[in-house]
Amino acid sequence: RGFRIISLLSDILEECSLSDLVDRIEVTLKEKKLTFNRVEHELGFGNGTIKRWKEQSPRLDKLIKVAEYLNVSLDYRSSPNR
């Protein structure tokens, strides 16, 4: 299971840049009338955590929490066509 999760994160990050990932999250937040600060607070993340993903890879557990919170799949987060 651990290898599958690491492989999934690797696939997601290969399909898009970290900047693209954060941009797609931002679009979804705007569609749902949410802010980075609200989502980070409700998920127990530190302030600015999601935007820092533009420079450093997110931990998979945090990426999964954001996807679940926004009710989107991890594939959606990495593909502009989904």
Side-chain angles (χ1 to χ4, degrees):
R1 176 165 162 86
F3 177 75
R4 185 167 184 255
I5 291 171
I6 291 169
S7 178
L8 174 63
L9 180 58
S10 177
D11 290 348
I12 289 167
L13 296 177
E14 281 180 18
E15 290 179 21
C16 70
S17 72
L18 293 173
S19 183
D20 289 343
L21 176 68
V22 174
D23 291 345
R24 290 190 185 117
I25 291 171
E26 185 171 20
V27 167
T28 303
L29 292 176
K30 286 180 181 178
E31 289 171 356
K32 295 178 180 274
K33 296 182 176 31
L34 297 168
T35 64
F36 284 107
N37 286 341
R38 178 176 172 186
V39 172
E40 289 166 343
H41 175 75
E42 291 191 16
L43 294 177
F45 297 175
N47 193 28
T49 295
I50 297 172
K51 285 190 177 182
R52 278 194 297 275
W53 294 350
K54 285 189 176 200
E55 284 87 36
Q56 64 186 109
S57 296
R59 288 185 9 203
L60 184 59
D61 63 322
K62 289 189 176 194
L63 190 59
I64 290 170
K65 282 183 179 183
V66 170
E68 288 174 347
Y69 182 89
L70 296 175
N71 197 32
V72 296
S73 72
L74 290 176
D75 289 340
Y76 171 83
R77 291 287 49 142
S78 64
S79 175
N81 299 324
R82 293 186 187 154

